[in-house]
Amino acid sequence: MAEADTTPPAANALAESQLALRDRLVDAGRLIPTGVAGLFGRDVVFEAVVSGVGALVAAAGEDDHPTRVSYPPLIPKVDFDKIGYLRNFPELVGPVFSFVGDAADHRAVVERLDGDAPYGDLLTQTEVTLTPACCYPIYPSVTGALGAGGAVFETCAYCFRHEPSVDPMRLQAFRQHEHIRIATPDEVLDWRARWLERAPELLSALGLDVISDIANDPFFGRAGRLMKMSQREQQLKIEFLVDVYGDEHRTACSSINYHQDHFGHTFGIHTDDGADAHSSCIGFGLERCTVALFNQHGTDVAQWPSPVRDRLGL
Ligand code: ATP
Ligand code: ZN
């Protein structure tokens, strides 16, 4: 006899809404399934919305004259390890492995392939890791004295997090568009205060129902519980949450993190007075915003309200 389903009804209802939204996007052709949860192709319409949102995120920070930089979706393993991602979020990481053996080692791999058996233990970790947040490659690049006024960067890249889900708002590979401030604590907090206004303005001008709230990162395990509490107490992470699955299940389309001196200390970045620089970043999840817009206005952009289409250049 099948065991009784013990999943609470609320969780079932939420999963059903997530599946329904995913199916709407797939049926309309906006997302192309690959067979792996959270890994999709995107059609040209989806990409047009992504570009429109990216352009708005760029424009919102223009007054700060950011230095625009691009990195591939990989960072050196040494930097990834220094940042502490594996320590804090072990179940999300994507280290890259490859084959470095000889002909005999290769025969062993092929045998596993032929037998449909796992072969991970025959591969070797490389010097690179998939980037989980697009600002990470920037901090190691600014080591040393920052100079007066500090630095502002803007970047966008694909990120990887191993969090397979039926929810089309939660992908394994997604783009972040970020603005990053590295400076004295006062300068960083001033910058953050401006984005606390800009971000909800940007999202609500697109017809999304958005609220701001204090949040925490999913730090792992027992030690992680304390880190979550301390992050909340100090209000280091603020999310801009949209209503896609009901008011009680809001999802972050954007979040702003204040790292204090974490990156400044780790990578030896100094302000004029010789102190470790502070930093903060605001990241917009481009696919999250895009999926939220399809949910809000429908999968056919021709039917979207014209002010929203105009804003996005559609
Ligand atoms: P969540 O709490 O939903 O896991 P987060 O707050 O940890 O997300 P951040 O690390 O702050 O996310 O990343 C910045 C932005 O990147 C998020 O606000 C979100 O829009 C986007 N993002 C994060 N994880 C995902 C994902 N798995 N799929 C799609 N977008 C994501
Ligand atoms: Zn960041």
PDB file of all heavy atoms in Angstrom, residues 81-100:
ATOM      1  N   ASP A  81      37.641  29.714  -2.497  1.00  0.00           N
ATOM      2  CA  ASP A  81      37.897  29.133  -1.175  1.00  0.00           C
ATOM      3  C   ASP A  81      38.131  30.224  -0.132  1.00  0.00           C
ATOM      4  O   ASP A  81      37.649  30.137   0.991  1.00  0.00           O
ATOM      5  CB  ASP A  81      39.100  28.173  -1.236  1.00  0.00           C
ATOM      6  CG  ASP A  81      38.769  26.917  -2.046  1.00  0.00           C
ATOM      7  OD1 ASP A  81      37.580  26.700  -2.344  1.00  0.00           O
ATOM      8  OD2 ASP A  81      39.701  26.163  -2.382  1.00  0.00           O
ATOM      9  N   LYS A  82      38.855  31.300  -0.530  1.00  0.00           N
ATOM     10  CA  LYS A  82      39.101  32.402   0.417  1.00  0.00           C
ATOM     11  C   LYS A  82      37.796  33.071   0.822  1.00  0.00           C
ATOM     12  O   LYS A  82      37.616  33.488   1.962  1.00  0.00           O
ATOM     13  CB  LYS A  82      39.991  33.466  -0.241  1.00  0.00           C
ATOM     14  CG  LYS A  82      41.469  33.204  -0.118  1.00  0.00           C
ATOM     15  CD  LYS A  82      42.226  34.452  -0.569  1.00  0.00           C
ATOM     16  CE  LYS A  82      43.639  34.120  -0.950  1.00  0.00           C
ATOM     17  NZ  LYS A  82      44.249  35.153  -1.781  1.00  0.00           N
ATOM     18  N   ILE A  83      36.876  33.207  -0.123  1.00  0.00           N
ATOM     19  CA  ILE A  83      35.600  33.882   0.149  1.00  0.00           C
ATOM     20  C   ILE A  83      34.784  33.079   1.174  1.00  0.00           C
ATOM     21  O   ILE A  83      33.985  33.641   1.924  1.00  0.00           O
ATOM     22  CB  ILE A  83      34.824  34.111  -1.174  1.00  0.00           C
ATOM     23  CG1 ILE A  83      35.503  35.233  -1.973  1.00  0.00           C
ATOM     24  CG2 ILE A  83      33.361  34.419  -0.928  1.00  0.00           C
ATOM     25  CD1 ILE A  83      35.014  35.383  -3.407  1.00  0.00           C
ATOM     26  N   GLY A  84      35.010  31.772   1.229  1.00  0.00           N
ATOM     27  CA  GLY A  84      34.345  30.952   2.246  1.00  0.00           C
ATOM     28  C   GLY A  84      33.026  30.353   1.788  1.00  0.00           C
ATOM     29  O   GLY A  84      32.213  29.951   2.617  1.00  0.00           O
ATOM     30  N   TYR A  85      32.809  30.278   0.470  1.00  0.00           N
ATOM     31  CA  TYR A  85      31.500  29.800  -0.017  1.00  0.00           C
ATOM     32  C   TYR A  85      31.264  28.332   0.327  1.00  0.00           C
ATOM     33  O   TYR A  85      30.172  27.954   0.759  1.00  0.00           O
ATOM     34  CB  TYR A  85      31.396  30.031  -1.535  1.00  0.00           C
ATOM     35  CG  TYR A  85      29.958  30.090  -2.005  1.00  0.00           C
ATOM     36  CD1 TYR A  85      29.233  31.279  -1.941  1.00  0.00           C
ATOM     37  CD2 TYR A  85      29.324  28.960  -2.488  1.00  0.00           C
ATOM     38  CE1 TYR A  85      27.915  31.331  -2.349  1.00  0.00           C
ATOM     39  CE2 TYR A  85      27.998  29.003  -2.903  1.00  0.00           C
ATOM     40  CZ  TYR A  85      27.299  30.193  -2.836  1.00  0.00           C
ATOM     41  OH  TYR A  85      25.987  30.235  -3.237  1.00  0.00           O
ATOM     42  N   LEU A  86      32.286  27.496   0.158  1.00  0.00           N
ATOM     43  CA  LEU A  86      32.138  26.063   0.451  1.00  0.00           C
ATOM     44  C   LEU A  86      31.864  25.843   1.937  1.00  0.00           C
ATOM     45  O   LEU A  86      31.085  24.987   2.328  1.00  0.00           O
ATOM     46  CB  LEU A  86      33.411  25.319   0.016  1.00  0.00           C
ATOM     47  CG  LEU A  86      33.442  23.815   0.281  1.00  0.00           C
ATOM     48  CD1 LEU A  86      32.315  23.098  -0.458  1.00  0.00           C
ATOM     49  CD2 LEU A  86      34.785  23.233  -0.140  1.00  0.00           C
ATOM     50  N   ARG A  87      32.515  26.654   2.770  1.00  0.00           N
ATOM     51  CA  ARG A  87      32.294  26.587   4.215  1.00  0.00           C
ATOM     52  C   ARG A  87      30.849  26.939   4.563  1.00  0.00           C
ATOM     53  O   ARG A  87      30.224  26.282   5.378  1.00  0.00           O
ATOM     54  CB  ARG A  87      33.225  27.623   4.869  1.00  0.00           C
ATOM     55  CG  ARG A  87      33.658  27.350   6.259  1.00  0.00           C
ATOM     56  CD  ARG A  87      34.606  28.462   6.700  1.00  0.00           C
ATOM     57  NE  ARG A  87      35.940  28.358   6.123  1.00  0.00           N
ATOM     58  CZ  ARG A  87      36.875  27.532   6.568  1.00  0.00           C
ATOM     59  NH1 ARG A  87      36.640  26.768   7.607  1.00  0.00           N
ATOM     60  NH2 ARG A  87      38.067  27.479   5.995  1.00  0.00           N
ATOM     61  N   ASN A  88      30.323  27.968   3.921  1.00  0.00           N
ATOM     62  CA  ASN A  88      29.008  28.496   4.312  1.00  0.00           C
ATOM     63  C   ASN A  88      27.827  27.899   3.554  1.00  0.00           C
ATOM     64  O   ASN A  88      26.730  27.788   4.103  1.00  0.00           O
ATOM     65  CB  ASN A  88      28.980  30.020   4.123  1.00  0.00           C
ATOM     66  CG  ASN A  88      29.876  30.728   5.123  1.00  0.00           C
ATOM     67  OD1 ASN A  88      30.018  30.282   6.261  1.00  0.00           O
ATOM     68  ND2 ASN A  88      30.504  31.803   4.693  1.00  0.00           N
ATOM     69  N   PHE A  89      28.040  27.563   2.275  1.00  0.00           N
ATOM     70  CA  PHE A  89      26.913  27.089   1.441  1.00  0.00           C
ATOM     71  C   PHE A  89      27.324  25.832   0.668  1.00  0.00           C
ATOM     72  O   PHE A  89      27.289  25.804  -0.568  1.00  0.00           O
ATOM     73  CB  PHE A  89      26.490  28.192   0.446  1.00  0.00           C
ATOM     74  CG  PHE A  89      26.313  29.537   1.083  1.00  0.00           C
ATOM     75  CD1 PHE A  89      27.240  30.559   0.865  1.00  0.00           C
ATOM     76  CD2 PHE A  89      25.235  29.789   1.922  1.00  0.00           C
ATOM     77  CE1 PHE A  89      27.091  31.801   1.461  1.00  0.00           C
ATOM     78  CE2 PHE A  89      25.078  31.033   2.523  1.00  0.00           C
ATOM     79  CZ  PHE A  89      26.002  32.045   2.296  1.00  0.00           C
ATOM     80  N   PRO A  90      27.724  24.762   1.401  1.00  0.00           N
ATOM     81  CA  PRO A  90      28.328  23.605   0.718  1.00  0.00           C
ATOM     82  C   PRO A  90      27.403  22.960  -0.310  1.00  0.00           C
ATOM     83  O   PRO A  90      27.878  22.452  -1.323  1.00  0.00           O
ATOM     84  CB  PRO A  90      28.630  22.643   1.871  1.00  0.00           C
ATOM     85  CG  PRO A  90      27.751  23.078   2.994  1.00  0.00           C
ATOM     86  CD  PRO A  90      27.597  24.566   2.856  1.00  0.00           C
ATOM     87  N   GLU A  91      26.092  22.995  -0.051  1.00  0.00           N
ATOM     88  CA  GLU A  91      25.197  22.257  -0.954  1.00  0.00           C
ATOM     89  C   GLU A  91      24.889  23.026  -2.244  1.00  0.00           C
ATOM     90  O   GLU A  91      24.196  22.523  -3.112  1.00  0.00           O
ATOM     91  CB  GLU A  91      23.914  21.835  -0.218  1.00  0.00           C
ATOM     92  CG  GLU A  91      22.907  22.924   0.071  1.00  0.00           C
ATOM     93  CD  GLU A  91      23.258  23.813   1.263  1.00  0.00           C
ATOM     94  OE1 GLU A  91      24.456  24.122   1.475  1.00  0.00           O
ATOM     95  OE2 GLU A  91      22.328  24.246   1.954  1.00  0.00           O
ATOM     96  N   LEU A  92      25.433  24.249  -2.382  1.00  0.00           N
ATOM     97  CA  LEU A  92      25.164  25.038  -3.594  1.00  0.00           C
ATOM     98  C   LEU A  92      26.340  25.058  -4.570  1.00  0.00           C
ATOM     99  O   LEU A  92      26.197  25.513  -5.707  1.00  0.00           O
ATOM    100  CB  LEU A  92      24.836  26.501  -3.204  1.00  0.00           C
ATOM    101  CG  LEU A  92      23.620  26.729  -2.301  1.00  0.00           C
ATOM    102  CD1 LEU A  92      23.436  28.225  -2.048  1.00  0.00           C
ATOM    103  CD2 LEU A  92      22.362  26.149  -2.920  1.00  0.00           C
ATOM    104  N   VAL A  93      27.507  24.577  -4.142  1.00  0.00           N
ATOM    105  CA  VAL A  93      28.730  24.836  -4.915  1.00  0.00           C
ATOM    106  C   VAL A  93      28.816  24.056  -6.230  1.00  0.00           C
ATOM    107  O   VAL A  93      28.205  22.998  -6.377  1.00  0.00           O
ATOM    108  CB  VAL A  93      30.012  24.534  -4.103  1.00  0.00           C
ATOM    109  CG1 VAL A  93      30.048  25.353  -2.827  1.00  0.00           C
ATOM    110  CG2 VAL A  93      30.132  23.044  -3.796  1.00  0.00           C
ATOM    111  N   GLY A  94      29.598  24.570  -7.149  1.00  0.00           N
ATOM    112  CA  GLY A  94      29.835  23.924  -8.445  1.00  0.00           C
ATOM    113  C   GLY A  94      31.302  23.943  -8.833  1.00  0.00           C
ATOM    114  O   GLY A  94      31.685  24.604  -9.801  1.00  0.00           O
ATOM    115  N   PRO A  95      32.147  23.195  -8.100  1.00  0.00           N
ATOM    116  CA  PRO A  95      33.555  23.111  -8.514  1.00  0.00           C
ATOM    117  C   PRO A  95      33.639  22.386  -9.853  1.00  0.00           C
ATOM    118  O   PRO A  95      32.821  21.521 -10.129  1.00  0.00           O
ATOM    119  CB  PRO A  95      34.220  22.287  -7.407  1.00  0.00           C
ATOM    120  CG  PRO A  95      33.119  21.540  -6.737  1.00  0.00           C
ATOM    121  CD  PRO A  95      31.857  22.327  -6.939  1.00  0.00           C
ATOM    122  N   VAL A  96      34.620  22.741 -10.671  1.00  0.00           N
ATOM    123  CA  VAL A  96      34.754  22.111 -11.997  1.00  0.00           C
ATOM    124  C   VAL A  96      35.799  20.993 -11.917  1.00  0.00           C
ATOM    125  O   VAL A  96      36.905  21.202 -11.415  1.00  0.00           O
ATOM    126  CB  VAL A  96      35.173  23.154 -13.053  1.00  0.00           C
ATOM    127  CG1 VAL A  96      35.431  22.484 -14.394  1.00  0.00           C
ATOM    128  CG2 VAL A  96      34.097  24.225 -13.189  1.00  0.00           C
ATOM    129  N   PHE A  97      35.422  19.833 -12.417  1.00  0.00           N
ATOM    130  CA  PHE A  97      36.321  18.673 -12.458  1.00  0.00           C
ATOM    131  C   PHE A  97      36.594  18.308 -13.901  1.00  0.00           C
ATOM    132  O   PHE A  97      35.738  18.481 -14.761  1.00  0.00           O
ATOM    133  CB  PHE A  97      35.686  17.472 -11.738  1.00  0.00           C
ATOM    134  CG  PHE A  97      35.701  17.602 -10.244  1.00  0.00           C
ATOM    135  CD1 PHE A  97      34.896  18.533  -9.602  1.00  0.00           C
ATOM    136  CD2 PHE A  97      36.531  16.810  -9.479  1.00  0.00           C
ATOM    137  CE1 PHE A  97      34.916  18.667  -8.223  1.00  0.00           C
ATOM    138  CE2 PHE A  97      36.559  16.935  -8.094  1.00  0.00           C
ATOM    139  CZ  PHE A  97      35.757  17.865  -7.471  1.00  0.00           C
ATOM    140  N   SER A  98      37.803  17.780 -14.158  1.00  0.00           N
ATOM    141  CA  SER A  98      38.137  17.322 -15.500  1.00  0.00           C
ATOM    142  C   SER A  98      38.976  16.047 -15.399  1.00  0.00           C
ATOM    143  O   SER A  98      39.294  15.590 -14.305  1.00  0.00           O
ATOM    144  CB  SER A  98      38.887  18.427 -16.245  1.00  0.00           C
ATOM    145  OG  SER A  98      38.996  18.094 -17.607  1.00  0.00           O
ATOM    146  N   PHE A  99      39.332  15.529 -16.565  1.00  0.00           N
ATOM    147  CA  PHE A  99      40.112  14.295 -16.601  1.00  0.00           C
ATOM    148  C   PHE A  99      41.585  14.624 -16.833  1.00  0.00           C
ATOM    149  O   PHE A  99      41.901  15.354 -17.770  1.00  0.00           O
ATOM    150  CB  PHE A  99      39.581  13.402 -17.728  1.00  0.00           C
ATOM    151  CG  PHE A  99      40.406  12.173 -17.941  1.00  0.00           C
ATOM    152  CD1 PHE A  99      40.281  11.083 -17.097  1.00  0.00           C
ATOM    153  CD2 PHE A  99      41.332  12.117 -18.967  1.00  0.00           C
ATOM    154  CE1 PHE A  99      41.056   9.952 -17.271  1.00  0.00           C
ATOM    155  CE2 PHE A  99      42.108  10.989 -19.149  1.00  0.00           C
ATOM    156  CZ  PHE A  99      41.972   9.911 -18.303  1.00  0.00           C
ATOM    157  N   VAL A 100      42.464  14.107 -15.992  1.00  0.00           N
ATOM    158  CA  VAL A 100      43.891  14.412 -16.185  1.00  0.00           C
ATOM    159  C   VAL A 100      44.753  13.149 -16.235  1.00  0.00           C
ATOM    160  O   VAL A 100      45.956  13.228 -16.053  1.00  0.00           O
ATOM    161  CB  VAL A 100      44.437  15.339 -15.064  1.00  0.00           C
ATOM    162  CG1 VAL A 100      43.787  16.696 -15.113  1.00  0.00           C
ATOM    163  CG2 VAL A 100      44.276  14.699 -13.695  1.00  0.00           C
TER     164      VAL A 100
END
